[in-house]
Amino acid sequence: IESQRSNYNSTWQVLGDYVMPNRVDFDIERSPGDVRNKKLYDTTAIHANQLLSATLHGGVTNASSDWFDLAFEDISIMTDASKRFLSQAKKELVKVLNSTTGSFQGQAHEFYLSLVCFGTAVMFIEEDDTGKINFATLHLSEIFIGENAYGQVDTVFRKFKLTPRQAVQMWGADNLHPRLLEDVERNPDEKYDFIHAALPKIDLKDE
């Protein structure tokens, strides 16, 4: 999948250079803090991307509007009790989505910026050890997508880097390779590649 995505990298690199210079590391891996706007002559494309993204955000996932609802697929089984359950569940979801600690609204804006510029965007949603739901719009350079026979996305691989210390914080020492645990003390800032795979259960094979 990574090799199949290589043709898009050069196109996304060009788009990012002029539209989203802070998210352009596809063909080039820059050092943190490196200047990324060397090719810009003006900010017309950047402003247009921000304007359309803000319009989409305000019209689709506006925090002040009732932009989603919950219902059973089979409406014939709806009862007063189930309606009350769905109503309460919706209230809890609204709290999560509008929470300042979960950062959905800020990440949603980043999602639309990527969607408008590159035509694709990916948001990662996870629950941490405290029960808090976190949202993060991921850089497309980390993402590799596969489709099923009907053209629907059903497989997503994420290839990203973490230091040993960050890996321990994320998964716990008991779930990591001994070499990584050794580097927590010896090379805490050394970065390793990790792969997160989301794919249909039918594709999983017993090992």
Side-chain angles (χ1 to χ4, degrees):
I1 292 180
E2 183 175 3
S3 63
Q4 293 171 1
R5 219 281 305 277
S6 62
N7 290 334
Y8 288 91
N9 287 340
S10 57
T11 301
W12 284 346
Q13 184 71 40
V14 172
L15 288 171
D17 283 337
Y18 297 102
V19 184
M20 287 186 71
N22 63 325
R23 283 181 172 263
V24 293
D25 293 346
F26 293 101
D27 283 343
I28 305 170
E29 187 172 346
R30 292 182 172 89
S31 301
D34 192 13
V35 177
R36 298 167 182 263
N37 59 355
K38 295 179 180 179
K39 296 184 178 181
L40 287 178
Y41 294 94
D42 62 49
T43 59
T44 301
I46 295 175
H47 179 67
N49 185 42
Q50 293 173 340
L51 185 62
L52 179 53
S53 300
T55 301
L56 289 171
H57 190 186
V60 179
T61 51
N62 194 319
S64 61
S65 65
D66 192 19
W67 59 271
F68 75 93
D69 207 348
L70 300 177
F72 291 113
E73 185 173 4
D74 184 359
I75 60 174
S76 64
I77 64 174
M78 290 286 286
T79 64
D80 290 340
S82 62
K83 290 178 182 178
R84 288 193 297 271
F85 168 80
L86 291 176
S87 177
Q88 183 59 37
K90 179 180 177 180
K91 290 179 182 178
E92 295 300 321
L93 283 173
V94 169
K95 287 181 183 178
V96 170
L97 294 173
N98 293 340
S99 168
T100 55
T101 58
S103 67
F104 170 77
Q105 293 299 331
Q107 292 299 313
H109 179 62
E110 291 293 323
F111 180 92
Y112 290 121
L113 286 171
S114 177
L115 183 64
V116 171
C117 178
F118 303 115
T120 304
V122 177
M123 181 181 287
F124 179 52
I125 306 170
E126 67 173 346
E127 181 180 9
D128 64 19
D129 293 337
T130 67
K132 182 169 69 72
I133 306 298
N134 298 305
F135 302 86
T137 296
L138 304 178
H139 197 299
L140 284 181
S141 63
E142 300 179 352
I143 303 300
F144 305 92
I145 295 172
E147 299 177 344
N148 64 16
Y150 305 101
Q152 301 165 328
V153 174
D154 67 349
T155 300
V156 179
F157 287 96
R158 180 191 178 198
K159 183 179 179 181
F160 61 108
K161 295 181 180 294
L162 289 177
T163 65
R165 177 173 173 269
Q166 292 169 332
V168 170
Q169 293 173 337
M170 183 167 289
W171 296 297
D174 294 339
N175 299 310
L176 298 178
H177 193 279
R179 180 184 171 188
L180 278 176
L181 297 179
E182 293 174 0
D183 280 351
V184 172
E185 298 295 335
R186 296 188 307 183
N187 300 302
D189 297 322
E190 182 76 18
K191 289 192 174 182
Y192 289 87
D193 284 329
F194 291 85
I195 295 178
H196 177 195
L199 60 161
K201 186 175 182 180
I202 193 173
D203 289 345
L204 295 176
K205 295 179 174 60
D206 294 333
E207 297 190 8

